[in-house]
Amino acid sequence: MLLLTLEGMSQVTSQSEKIKNCREKALEYLTPYLLSGEPPEDFRAVITWIFLLGTQSFEEQDYETTTLLCQRGLEWSAEYPPLIYLTGELLTVLGFYLGAIPYYQKCLDLGKTKTYNKKEPFDLGYTNTYPAYRLGCTFAELKDWDQAQSALKLALSFSPDYAPAQEALIKIEQLINP
């Protein structure tokens, strides 16, 4: 928890070397647990760390590490929308569009029922706007235009000014109505 606080303060003050050190220490601490499958006894901030480290490895295109982090994270906290969303993103980038859909849908379902993990804070966009947008993009990849439009409109119902959803919807409408 203290390491997460330090990482957050380093983010605010743009101290990239301190951010890197915090993340390295967190990964070093978590690695034995990730490999064994047993969660740490002191579980505070663990899921947040797994999401942060998973996002970092995803951005670095280290999909093997991202897979391990998502797998363990979901075993330990199956109702944490950011991690569910990241798993959908991973499947999408790997080309498993049909596999990604249930992850985005689960984020939306958790948001609708408010049954997500409330022990660790996160951006509530992971329960509405972001997964609806990604769902729309995924359906577009599958050329299911009706579902894509519906999901993108859903994203915009949560966040009317969400530019990525606006742009994707315009592109789809131009494709189907040239």
Side-chain angles (χ1 to χ4, degrees):
M1 187 66 169
L2 293 173
L3 196 55
L4 185 61
T5 302
L6 180 59
E7 194 268 356
M9 286 197 231
S10 300
Q11 286 277 1
V12 170
T13 57
S14 301
Q15 297 180 48
S16 58
E17 197 58 37
K18 283 189 179 182
I19 295 166
K20 182 181 174 195
N21 289 339
C22 289
R23 290 183 179 194
E24 286 172 358
K25 286 180 183 177
L27 187 58
E28 182 181 313
Y29 169 77
L30 286 172
T31 296
Y33 298 102
L34 293 168
L35 295 176
S36 75
E38 292 297 319
E41 197 171 304
D42 182 1
F43 203 69
R44 290 173 299 157
V46 168
I47 293 302
T48 300
W49 267 120
I50 288 176
F51 174 68
L52 290 173
L53 295 169
T55 300
Q56 176 181 315
S57 63
F58 181 81
E59 289 169 357
E60 294 169 352
Q61 297 180 352
D62 178 358
Y63 301 136
E64 189 173 340
T65 300
T66 308
T67 299
L68 176 61
L69 289 161
C70 288
Q71 178 184 348
R72 288 294 185 242
L74 290 177
E75 286 172 12
W76 297 342
S77 182
E79 309 300 314
Y80 188 63
L83 201 51
I84 298 165
Y85 176 84
L86 179 61
T87 304
E89 289 281 84
L90 176 63
L91 291 168
T92 298
V93 80
L94 294 175
F96 298 110
Y97 303 115
L98 291 175
I101 290 170
Y103 288 91
Y104 298 134
Q105 189 60 55
K106 182 167 182 172
C107 290
L108 292 169
D109 292 344
L110 289 172
K112 189 182 299 182
T113 61
K114 304 221 184 310
T115 54
Y116 47 81
N117 177 339
K118 296 176 180 90
K119 293 178 183 171
E120 303 223 19
F122 64 90
D123 177 348
L124 289 176
Y126 288 108
T127 65
N128 49 54
T129 306
Y130 310 147
Y133 165 69
R134 291 303 301 153
L135 198 55
C137 293
T138 302
F139 281 123
E141 286 291 335
L142 295 169
K143 304 206 181 332
D144 185 339
W145 306 122
D146 289 338
Q147 293 270 36
Q149 286 178 308
S150 177
L152 292 168
K153 288 176 183 175
L154 178 62
L156 292 170
S157 75
F158 295 123
S159 210
D161 296 329
Y162 192 61
Q166 292 172 339
E167 293 164 12
L169 190 58
I170 290 168
K171 275 185 183 178
I172 289 170
E173 288 172 351
Q174 289 172 344
L175 278 171
I176 60 176
N177 300 318

